[in-house]
Amino acid sequence: MKHIGLTVASLVISLWATGPLCAQPDASYPLALLPLPAANGPPVKNCTYCHGVSAQGLATAPRLAGQRAAYIEKELSAFRGHERDNPLSQLYMWNVAANLKPETGRELAVYFSQLPPRAAADGNRGLFDEGRALYQQGVPNANIVTCVVCHGPNAEGVRDIPRLGGLSYLYLKRRMEEWNKGYHPTARPMPQVARELSPAEIDALASYLSFLDEETASK
Amino acid sequence: MIAIHGRNALYSIALASAVVAAGFSGSAVAGAGGGVQDKIEYCQVCHGETGRGFYGYYAIPRLAGQQPGYIENQLRDYASGLRHNSVMGGVARGVSPATYGAIAAHFHAMNPAPLGGGGGNVALGREIFANGLPESNVPACSACHGPDAHGTGQIPRLAGQLPSYLVKTLSNWSPERGHSSAGGLSALMVPTTHNLTAAQIAAVAAYVGGLR
């Protein structure tokens, strides 16, 4: 038995070391080596179909890697209760959450929160400084609050307040726009925050945040 | 969806009026949002709709029930730079001093339950609050803040304040409020805070944070 165990272990190690046989190396897209969940762990594949195999997000689905576990759990609950009623949430996440046990949701949340996040960097780099000023200081004369007080100095989030740094420009912009269209009204105070933002300010904030990773955030 | 369409229509009307107004006078638009009600809502985005404070990345203090004299003083000190806070400095300078009184009165009248959340020794906190620590030169908090911790005049209410906010304040007194405050009431707190240990600060914060 010991011998078989060793053989399996070395097979696993050699597969891990060589990676998928058909994958083309791509320097600009270094896939994070996922610490795979245990065989009896949560059904990660059901999430990664849309959120990406390394959970960095795809066109319609936001990055989950590095997101706060308590936030993911809270959102799953909001999908289940239909409080988060954004169009894509209704289309995809309502069904997902309806069939997900809260314990499984918690395991998935913890799993994804531990994966290393990578910045989407898909915003307009020319708006970086304007976005940073808005994030750090708000615009007191226009009743625009700062983001930094809740989301943190590096947009890293805390507890059930989400990490925003490095999420995709398209996702960040869409969320802020959809609050202004009346979606997800229970996520207070975000509807009240977004209400004061002009389209140009939303553009600047989403652009700035999309570039933030651990390195750029501290600058 | 009807509600959403209705809201969009309202936005269009508001936008159209804003454009018309801008055509006549730039200053009319620049002054928009500066009214007392607008500023109160602006405060409530962070400090909570009931003024009970909020646990963001940083603890955002409770304003509900706070003494109006204290709120007005702090806004003045933030605006002048006497009290240091990178966020509140800008906020206070964006509020007309003429509205300080109305904002302070609004929050003074609110009375929601405390948020709580402190992890200190409540019994020790009650003792320090009521009797001080004579051997460490710490006077009784109740002597100035009142036996119910509701404060008076320029002396702040502590009852129901977020414990982690109180811990931050008592642990960081000189850098945040100690500068140039000699002669002000705030100067009284400098030796007091410096004579408290971390465990004693946590105890006082947990005790007063739970008071109504």
Side-chain angles (χ1 to χ4, degrees), chain B residues 4-74:
Chain B
I4 291 162
H5 282 301
R7 219 173 142 189
N8 275 343
L10 273 181
Y11 278 134
S12 311
I13 294 166
L15 185 64
S17 353
V19 169
V20 171
F24 289 114
S25 155
S27 64
V29 173
V36 171
Q37 191 52 38
D38 295 313
K39 287 300 175 187
I40 286 172
E41 286 176 20
Y42 172 53
C43 303
Q44 287 173 333
V45 171
C46 293
H47 291 273
E49 285 168 77
T50 60
R52 72 199 296 221
F54 186 73
Y55 286 109
Y57 187 92
Y58 305 104
I60 303 169
R62 174 188 174 105
L63 299 179
Q66 189 51 277
Q67 293 296 333
Y70 176 75
I71 295 181
E72 289 186 55
N73 255 357
Q74 300 313 303

Side-chain angles (χ1 to χ4, degrees), chain A residues 22-79:
Chain A
C22 57
Q24 293 296 318
D26 182 349
S28 69
Y29 191 69
L31 273 179
L33 284 168
L34 282 182
L36 289 170
N40 60 348
V44 167
K45 262 192 185 172
N46 290 314
C47 310
T48 55
Y49 284 134
C50 294
H51 290 274
V53 287
S54 59
Q56 303 296 332
L58 289 173
T60 55
R63 183 185 72 190
L64 298 178
Q67 190 49 280
R68 300 283 156 197
Y71 170 75
I72 297 179
E73 260 198 277
K74 183 176 73 173
E75 296 311 291
L76 285 172
S77 160
F79 292 129

Side-chain angles (χ1 to χ4, degrees), chain A residues 146-167:
Chain A
T146 72
C147 313
V148 63
V149 175
C150 287
H151 290 279
N154 301 317
E156 64 269 62
V158 63
R159 302 184 305 275
D160 64 352
I161 298 174
R163 180 193 293 275
L164 302 179
L167 290 179

Side-chain angles (χ1 to χ4, degrees), chain A residues 168-181:
Chain A
S168 90
Y169 163 82
L170 292 170
Y171 172 74
L172 292 161
K173 181 167 177 283
R174 189 168 67 229
R175 289 306 305 277
M176 288 188 271
E177 287 170 349
E178 286 177 350
W179 269 308
N180 282 340
K181 291 177 186 166

